[in-house]
């Protein structure tokens, strides 16, 4: 591995990717400092849709690779590897578009990236040094997504159910499940699997000691 290590955490929507990644990040950043570890979400790279009306935005398939600007994410990961800071877009799930703000992410020795389709894109896969797949049963994901989307993303029961049937579930079988083959580590039991969290933390500490 080179000077920088990029760790991808993929899996179904609500499988626990962001809880897992943010727990690893929070538990390590205090110990290591933010110049050594950074975190990015693939969701930040949903395409800007500010030119579309709300009625048009709700028709987008947010579970299809075309919904993401993966090229921008790939170029940001390359820049971070090269020691340059990047301006990560910020995305609003309620407005279905990017906000005006960006978040300046500084280059770090270890970069955690989490998102549903990270392992489906061969250009992105080339950037990852370590790959993790959250293997949470789909019924558990649906229940967690329902609760989260009602509480945090301004959705209704019927809108979550409709989107789940139309795009979320089909995309899981078409894109996400087949991408599990590219994972180095498969994590069961979601974002609170402390043994898996500790394994990744130990690996990160070991990599940083070598750099
Ligand atoms: N092992 C777990 N036990 C209980 N709740 C969990 C667990 N893993 C994740 N969650 C919860 O499920 C929801 C979805 O998790 P999240 O990390 O946002 O998923 P993702 O990033 O994969 O979409 C969140 O509310 C999170 O707190
Ligand atoms: O405008 C949007 C953008 C995305 N979504 C849904 O979000 C999930 C991906 O995020 P997770 O945090 O991994 O759940 C994806 O399944 C999209 O369906 C959305 O509903 N609206």
């Amino acid at each position: 591995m080179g000077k920088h290590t990029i760790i991808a955490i993929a899996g179904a929507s609500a499988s626990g990717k962001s809880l897992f990644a943010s727990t690893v990040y929070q538990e390590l950043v205090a110990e290591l400092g933010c110049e050594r570890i950074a975190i990015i979400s693939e969701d930040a790279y949903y395409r800007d849709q500010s030119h579309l009306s709300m009625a048009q935005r709700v028709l987008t398939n947010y579970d299809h690779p075309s919904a993401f600007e993966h090229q921008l994410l790939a170029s940001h990961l390359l820049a971070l590897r090269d020691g340059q800071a990047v301006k990560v877009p910020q995305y609003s799930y309620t407005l279905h578009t990017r906000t005006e703000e960006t978040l300046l992410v500084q280059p770090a020795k270890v970069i955690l990236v989490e998102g549903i389709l990270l392992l489906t894109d061969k250009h992105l896969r080339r950037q990852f040094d370590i790959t993790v797949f959250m293997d949470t049963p789909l019924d558990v994901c649906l229940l967690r997504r329902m609760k989260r989307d009602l509480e945090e993303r301004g959705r209704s029961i019927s809108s979550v159910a409709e989107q789940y049937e139309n795009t979320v579930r089909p995309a899981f079988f078409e894109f996400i499940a087949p991408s599990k083959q590219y994972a180095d580590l498969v994590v069961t039991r979601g974002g609170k699997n402390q043994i898996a969290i500790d394994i990744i933390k130990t690996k990160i500490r070991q990599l940083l000691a070598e750099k």
Side-chain angles (χ1 to χ4, degrees):
M1 264 173 237
K3 263 171 55 186
H4 299 266
T5 301
I6 303 184
I7 304 177
I9 299 148
S13 171
S15 58
K17 302 176 299 293
S18 43
L19 183 60
F20 186 87
S22 61
T23 305
V24 170
Y25 177 78
Q26 292 301 338
E27 291 185 7
L28 281 179
V29 74
E31 173 188 325
L32 303 173
C34 52
E35 68 288 351
R36 298 181 85 192
I37 185 159
I39 184 166
I40 292 182
S41 172
E42 182 192 33
D43 289 4
Y45 296 83
Y46 271 117
R47 291 184 189 281
D48 183 60
Q49 300 198 114
S50 50
H51 57 293
L52 299 179
S53 68
M54 197 52 138
Q56 290 170 310
R57 288 180 205 173
V58 293
L59 298 177
T60 300
N61 179 348
Y62 295 101
D63 293 272
H64 192 274
S66 60
F68 291 93
E69 208 179 336
H70 276 159
Q71 248 186 324
L72 181 63
L73 172 57
S75 71
H76 280 183
L77 294 177
L78 271 177
L80 288 166
R81 267 193 203 282
D82 200 37
Q84 298 162 39
V86 295
K87 285 183 183 165
V88 174
Q90 298 299 288
Y91 188 79
S92 163
Y93 298 99
T94 42
L95 299 175
H96 304 288
T97 192
R98 291 184 191 165
T99 67
E100 303 273 293
E101 290 86 46
T102 54
L103 182 72
L104 190 68
V105 172
Q106 299 291 344
K109 299 265 183 239
V110 173
I111 298 152
L112 303 167
V113 197
E114 62 83 17
I116 52 173
L117 296 177
L118 291 176
L119 301 186
T120 67
D121 183 309
K122 69 170 188 266
H123 302 291
L124 277 178
R125 279 204 304 273
R126 280 199 213 115
Q127 300 260 359
F128 302 140
D129 302 289
I130 300 174
T131 48
V132 178
F133 188 92
M134 305 300 294
D135 200 7
T136 308
L138 265 198
D139 56 344
V140 175
C141 294
L142 173 57
L143 288 173
R144 289 187 181 151
R145 178 170 169 131
M146 181 66 83
K147 185 167 182 297
R148 182 198 61 193
D149 284 9
L150 295 182
E151 289 173 1
E152 297 170 22
R153 295 191 182 176
R155 304 290 196 274
S156 62
I157 292 179
S158 60
S159 78
V160 175
E162 192 183 332
Q163 187 185 16
Y164 185 79
E165 263 192 77
N166 290 339
T167 62
V168 180
R169 191 174 186 281
F172 175 78
F173 290 107
E174 185 174 357
F175 304 113
I176 301 171
S179 75
K180 184 168 124 182
Q181 66 184 299
Y182 301 111
D184 298 313
L185 189 70
V186 173
V187 174
T188 56
R189 300 198 314 280
K192 292 187 184 172
N193 184 333
Q194 194 61 43
I195 299 287
I197 290 166
D198 289 344
I199 288 171
I200 291 291
K201 282 167 59 187
T202 302
K203 181 69 186 169
I204 291 173
R205 285 195 194 96
Q206 182 200 327
L207 286 166
L208 289 171
E210 288 166 7
K211 284 180 201 290

